[in-house]
Amino acid sequence: MDSFGLVLQGGGMRGIYTSGVLDCFLEHELIAPYIIAVSAGACNALAYVAREKGVGKYMFIEHLCDMRHFSLRNLYRHGCMVGMDFIFEELPRRILTSSFQGLAQAPEKLVVAATDFKTGESIYFSKDEHDQELFLLAVRASCSIPLLSGTVCVQGAKMLDGGLADPIPIGKAIEDGNERNIIVRTGTEEFIRQPANLAWATDRLFPRYKHLMRVVFDHHRRYNDTLARIRQLREEQRAFVIAPSRPMNIRRVERNRNRLMELYTLGYEDANRSLRPLYQWLEKVRL
């Protein structure tokens, strides 16, 4: 059961669904040898690889009402509404210091994607190929939501949300040698992404970055093409998909604790119901 990958989608606060799925996996000691993630999925991947059940959920909901997490005050003080310093420096290093101690020692390969601000291309960072400080910086870049979080400088290049250029990185997982992959989505099976009307924002904020704007405008097409590829892989028994079994009214920046807990529980329950067919699929992978 060792020849498969785990692909984690982002989705902002909808990523707490993935937290529930991965906590179920950890409870049953189901650890993928290869994990690739973007955006909020990258944060969940850290907790999963470190074998820290519950940490993903903690990161999403425990500080919802803390102004350092998300507020207009952050916009005034730091230039972005999401408190990235609080989320990626204070929480892990002061509050959750012991949670990621096992990350560097974990044998699994962990890859995260960020989007190059200048070229609009996906840049991939591997836990095993970079020191932990740089890798965590890449995770921060992958989670940087456009217009809310600003950009992150990694190795001299501005980076942001990995889900822009590679919304569900199944292609990279296959390129890295994983012919069969578990894919955790944060949208329902029926979800189709529509074009986003962001011309008013990108023309004013990023007028010199034509490549990035092209990625933003083309994001819906890239996303939907990826879904079509996943459906094909599923028919070929090369992909096992776990996605929300019912629609949830969750915004990308959601602050309702009850709604988030409901989505976390749905992720756990969907994963738990999927375990038997998932193990059967994994046995086929091994054969």
Side-chain angles (χ1 to χ4, degrees):
M1 256 187 354
D2 59 350
S3 180
F4 67 97
L6 174 62
V7 180
L8 306 178
Q9 186 182 357
M13 298 301 282
R14 292 190 294 274
I16 198 169
Y17 175 84
T18 304
S19 301
V21 172
L22 297 184
D23 279 354
C24 179
F25 282 5
L26 287 174
E27 192 172 288
H28 290 85
E29 300 183 348
L30 176 55
I31 306 293
Y34 173 98
I35 304 98
I36 186 168
V38 297
S39 198
C43 285
N44 279 310
L46 292 179
Y48 174 71
V49 172
R51 274 70 163 177
E52 291 289 349
K53 182 175 178 287
V55 166
K57 178 177 68 172
Y58 178 95
M59 294 287 283
F60 276 100
I61 69 171
E62 284 303 315
H63 298 275
L64 282 176
C65 297
D66 193 317
M67 293 184 68
R68 295 171 296 176
H69 187 275
F70 182 83
S71 67
L72 289 172
R73 187 183 72 170
N74 287 337
L75 181 63
Y76 175 75
R77 290 186 174 182
H78 308 293
C80 56
M81 294 184 71
V82 178
M84 301 297 279
D85 288 344
F86 175 67
I87 295 171
F88 287 97
E89 293 184 19
E90 186 167 346
L91 279 181
R93 295 177 183 174
R94 297 183 184 179
I95 301 173
L96 301 172
T97 305
S98 63
S99 296
F100 298 125
Q101 287 181 346
L103 183 63
Q105 289 75 35
E108 294 76 30
K109 182 171 184 178
L110 173 58
V111 178
V112 300
T115 301
D116 188 297
F117 190 77
K118 183 178 181 179
T119 67
E121 296 178 349
S122 290
I123 307 296
Y124 301 96
F125 299 88
S126 171
K127 173 180 72 70
D128 298 330
E129 297 172 6
H130 301 89
D131 62 60
Q132 185 160 309
E133 184 174 354
L134 189 146
F135 183 73
L136 292 177
L137 192 64
V139 172
R140 175 171 175 163
S142 185
C143 296
S144 294
I145 303 172
L147 308 180
L148 293 178
S149 307
T151 60
V152 177
C153 188
V154 185
Q155 295 182 314
K158 289 183 178 180
M159 304 277 178
L160 75 169
D161 192 348
L164 276 178
D166 198 353
I168 309 174
I170 179 63
K172 175 62 174 173
I174 294 173
E175 180 185 315
D176 283 350
N178 303 283
E179 284 300 316
R180 291 173 172 80
N181 294 275
I182 303 170
I183 301 169
V184 181
R185 292 188 52 199
T186 52
T188 62
E189 294 279 4
E190 299 79 16
F191 178 76
I192 299 295
R193 187 170 295 283
Q194 302 300 320
N197 184 17
L198 294 174
W200 63 271
T202 53
D203 285 345
R204 287 170 175 78
L205 296 175
F206 314 126
R208 294 182 299 150
Y209 296 95
K210 303 300 183 183
H211 297 296
L212 178 66
M213 286 194 291
R214 185 163 57 247
V215 168
V216 172
F217 293 146
D218 197 48
H219 178 68
H220 69 286
R221 187 176 294 106
R222 184 179 296 103
Y223 185 96
N224 294 332
D225 287 347
T226 303
L227 294 186
R229 184 178 188 183
I230 289 172
R231 285 193 292 270
Q232 180 63 36
L233 291 171
R234 199 174 184 178
E235 290 177 6
E236 297 170 358
Q237 293 292 305
R238 295 171 60 196
F240 188 99
V241 180
I242 299 177
S245 54
R246 65 176 185 273
M248 297 291 294
N249 185 25
I250 299 290
R251 297 168 294 180
R252 178 171 285 271
V253 183
E254 179 64 66
R255 304 189 76 181
N256 185 305
R257 180 184 294 265
N258 291 334
R259 287 179 181 173
L260 290 171
M261 278 304 303
E262 187 177 354
L263 186 55
Y264 168 84
T265 301
L266 181 64
Y268 182 93
E269 291 176 346
D270 284 350
N272 199 46
R273 282 193 295 268
S274 298
L275 283 176
R276 179 173 291 182
L278 175 56
Y279 279 122
Q280 292 172 347
W281 179 82
L282 288 173
E283 285 297 322
K284 294 178 182 179
V285 171
R286 187 179 66 176
L287 298 174

Short mmCIF file of all heavy atoms in Angstrom, two decimals, residues 239-259:
data_model
loop_
_atom_site.label_atom_id
_atom_site.label_comp_id
_atom_site.label_asym_id
_atom_site.label_seq_id
_atom_site.Cartn_x
_atom_site.Cartn_y
_atom_site.Cartn_z
N ALA A 239 -7.55 7.41 -9.49
CA ALA A 239 -7.81 8.46 -8.50
C ALA A 239 -8.96 8.04 -7.60
O ALA A 239 -9.95 7.45 -8.06
CB ALA A 239 -8.14 9.78 -9.19
N PHE A 240 -8.81 8.33 -6.31
CA PHE A 240 -9.88 8.12 -5.34
C PHE A 240 -10.19 9.50 -4.75
O PHE A 240 -9.31 10.12 -4.14
CB PHE A 240 -9.44 7.15 -4.25
CG PHE A 240 -10.56 6.73 -3.33
CD1 PHE A 240 -11.20 5.53 -3.51
CD2 PHE A 240 -10.97 7.56 -2.28
CE1 PHE A 240 -12.24 5.14 -2.66
CE2 PHE A 240 -12.01 7.20 -1.44
CZ PHE A 240 -12.65 5.97 -1.62
N VAL A 241 -11.41 9.97 -4.94
CA VAL A 241 -11.75 11.34 -4.57
C VAL A 241 -12.63 11.36 -3.32
O VAL A 241 -13.61 10.61 -3.22
CB VAL A 241 -12.48 12.05 -5.73
CG1 VAL A 241 -12.85 13.48 -5.32
CG2 VAL A 241 -11.62 12.05 -6.98
N ILE A 242 -12.26 12.21 -2.38
CA ILE A 242 -13.10 12.51 -1.22
C ILE A 242 -13.48 13.97 -1.31
O ILE A 242 -12.61 14.85 -1.36
CB ILE A 242 -12.37 12.21 0.10
CG1 ILE A 242 -12.00 10.74 0.19
CG2 ILE A 242 -13.24 12.63 1.29
CD1 ILE A 242 -11.23 10.37 1.44
N ALA A 243 -14.78 14.25 -1.35
CA ALA A 243 -15.28 15.61 -1.49
C ALA A 243 -16.52 15.76 -0.60
O ALA A 243 -17.15 14.76 -0.23
CB ALA A 243 -15.64 15.90 -2.94
N PRO A 244 -16.87 16.99 -0.24
CA PRO A 244 -18.05 17.20 0.62
C PRO A 244 -19.28 16.51 0.04
O PRO A 244 -19.62 16.69 -1.13
CB PRO A 244 -18.20 18.72 0.63
CG PRO A 244 -16.82 19.24 0.43
CD PRO A 244 -16.18 18.27 -0.53
N SER A 245 -19.95 15.73 0.88
CA SER A 245 -21.10 14.96 0.42
C SER A 245 -22.37 15.80 0.34
O SER A 245 -23.39 15.33 -0.19
CB SER A 245 -21.34 13.77 1.37
OG SER A 245 -21.46 14.21 2.71
N ARG A 246 -22.31 17.00 0.83
CA ARG A 246 -23.44 17.93 0.68
C ARG A 246 -22.89 19.35 0.64
O ARG A 246 -21.81 19.64 1.17
CB ARG A 246 -24.44 17.77 1.83
CG ARG A 246 -23.93 18.13 3.20
CD ARG A 246 -25.04 18.04 4.24
NE ARG A 246 -24.61 18.49 5.55
CZ ARG A 246 -24.03 17.73 6.45
NH1 ARG A 246 -23.79 16.45 6.18
NH2 ARG A 246 -23.68 18.23 7.62
N PRO A 247 -23.63 20.26 0.00
CA PRO A 247 -23.16 21.66 -0.08
C PRO A 247 -23.13 22.31 1.30
O PRO A 247 -23.98 22.03 2.16
CB PRO A 247 -24.20 22.33 -0.98
CG PRO A 247 -24.90 21.21 -1.69
CD PRO A 247 -24.88 20.05 -0.74
N MET A 248 -22.15 23.17 1.52
CA MET A 248 -22.04 23.92 2.77
C MET A 248 -21.87 25.40 2.43
O MET A 248 -21.08 25.76 1.57
CB MET A 248 -20.83 23.44 3.58
CG MET A 248 -20.90 22.00 4.02
SD MET A 248 -22.16 21.71 5.29
CE MET A 248 -21.49 22.64 6.65
N ASN A 249 -22.63 26.23 3.12
CA ASN A 249 -22.57 27.67 2.88
C ASN A 249 -21.42 28.28 3.67
O ASN A 249 -21.60 28.90 4.72
CB ASN A 249 -23.90 28.31 3.29
CG ASN A 249 -23.94 29.80 2.95
OD1 ASN A 249 -23.22 30.25 2.04
ND2 ASN A 249 -24.73 30.55 3.67
N ILE A 250 -20.22 28.06 3.13
CA ILE A 250 -19.00 28.54 3.80
C ILE A 250 -18.29 29.51 2.87
O ILE A 250 -17.98 29.17 1.72
CB ILE A 250 -18.05 27.38 4.15
CG1 ILE A 250 -18.72 26.39 5.10
CG2 ILE A 250 -16.74 27.90 4.73
CD1 ILE A 250 -18.93 26.92 6.50
N ARG A 251 -18.01 30.70 3.36
CA ARG A 251 -17.27 31.68 2.58
C ARG A 251 -15.77 31.38 2.66
O ARG A 251 -15.31 30.72 3.57
CB ARG A 251 -17.53 33.09 3.11
CG ARG A 251 -19.00 33.53 2.97
CD ARG A 251 -19.26 34.79 3.76
NE ARG A 251 -19.11 34.55 5.19
CZ ARG A 251 -19.28 35.48 6.12
NH1 ARG A 251 -19.59 36.72 5.76
NH2 ARG A 251 -19.14 35.19 7.40
N ARG A 252 -15.02 31.93 1.70
CA ARG A 252 -13.57 31.74 1.70
C ARG A 252 -12.96 32.28 2.99
O ARG A 252 -12.02 31.72 3.53
CB ARG A 252 -12.96 32.44 0.49
CG ARG A 252 -11.44 32.32 0.43
CD ARG A 252 -10.91 32.84 -0.88
NE ARG A 252 -11.16 31.89 -1.96
CZ ARG A 252 -10.34 30.91 -2.30
NH1 ARG A 252 -9.22 30.73 -1.64
NH2 ARG A 252 -10.64 30.10 -3.28
N VAL A 253 -13.52 33.39 3.50
CA VAL A 253 -13.09 33.93 4.79
C VAL A 253 -14.30 33.85 5.72
O VAL A 253 -15.06 34.80 5.87
CB VAL A 253 -12.58 35.37 4.66
CG1 VAL A 253 -12.08 35.87 6.01
CG2 VAL A 253 -11.45 35.45 3.63
N GLU A 254 -14.51 32.70 6.33
CA GLU A 254 -15.67 32.42 7.19
C GLU A 254 -15.28 32.61 8.65
O GLU A 254 -14.21 32.19 9.09
CB GLU A 254 -16.15 30.99 6.97
CG GLU A 254 -17.33 30.56 7.82
CD GLU A 254 -18.58 31.37 7.52
OE1 GLU A 254 -19.11 31.24 6.40
OE2 GLU A 254 -19.01 32.13 8.43
N ARG A 255 -16.18 33.23 9.45
CA ARG A 255 -15.88 33.47 10.86
C ARG A 255 -16.95 32.89 11.79
O ARG A 255 -16.93 33.14 12.98
CB ARG A 255 -15.71 34.97 11.12
CG ARG A 255 -14.65 35.60 10.25
CD ARG A 255 -14.33 37.01 10.63
NE ARG A 255 -13.50 37.06 11.82
CZ ARG A 255 -13.08 38.18 12.39
NH1 ARG A 255 -13.44 39.34 11.88
NH2 ARG A 255 -12.32 38.14 13.46
N ASN A 256 -17.86 32.09 11.23
CA ASN A 256 -18.88 31.45 12.03
C ASN A 256 -18.36 30.10 12.53
O ASN A 256 -18.21 29.15 11.75
CB ASN A 256 -20.16 31.27 11.20
CG ASN A 256 -21.32 30.73 12.02
OD1 ASN A 256 -21.21 29.68 12.66
ND2 ASN A 256 -22.43 31.45 12.01
N ARG A 257 -18.08 30.01 13.81
CA ARG A 257 -17.48 28.81 14.39
C ARG A 257 -18.36 27.57 14.18
O ARG A 257 -17.85 26.49 13.88
CB ARG A 257 -17.21 29.03 15.88
CG ARG A 257 -16.59 27.82 16.57
CD ARG A 257 -16.45 28.10 18.06
NE ARG A 257 -15.49 29.16 18.30
CZ ARG A 257 -14.20 28.96 18.59
NH1 ARG A 257 -13.74 27.73 18.65
NH2 ARG A 257 -13.40 29.97 18.80
N ASN A 258 -19.67 27.72 14.35
CA ASN A 258 -20.56 26.56 14.22
C ASN A 258 -20.54 26.00 12.81
O ASN A 258 -20.53 24.77 12.61
CB ASN A 258 -21.98 26.95 14.62
CG ASN A 258 -22.11 27.22 16.11
OD1 ASN A 258 -21.34 26.71 16.92
ND2 ASN A 258 -23.09 28.04 16.49
N ARG A 259 -20.54 26.89 11.82
CA ARG A 259 -20.50 26.43 10.43
C ARG A 259 -19.18 25.71 10.15
O ARG A 259 -19.16 24.68 9.46
CB ARG A 259 -20.65 27.61 9.48
CG ARG A 259 -22.05 28.19 9.40
CD ARG A 259 -22.08 29.37 8.46
NE ARG A 259 -23.40 29.97 8.38
CZ ARG A 259 -23.67 31.10 7.73
NH1 ARG A 259 -22.69 31.73 7.11
NH2 ARG A 259 -24.88 31.58 7.71
#
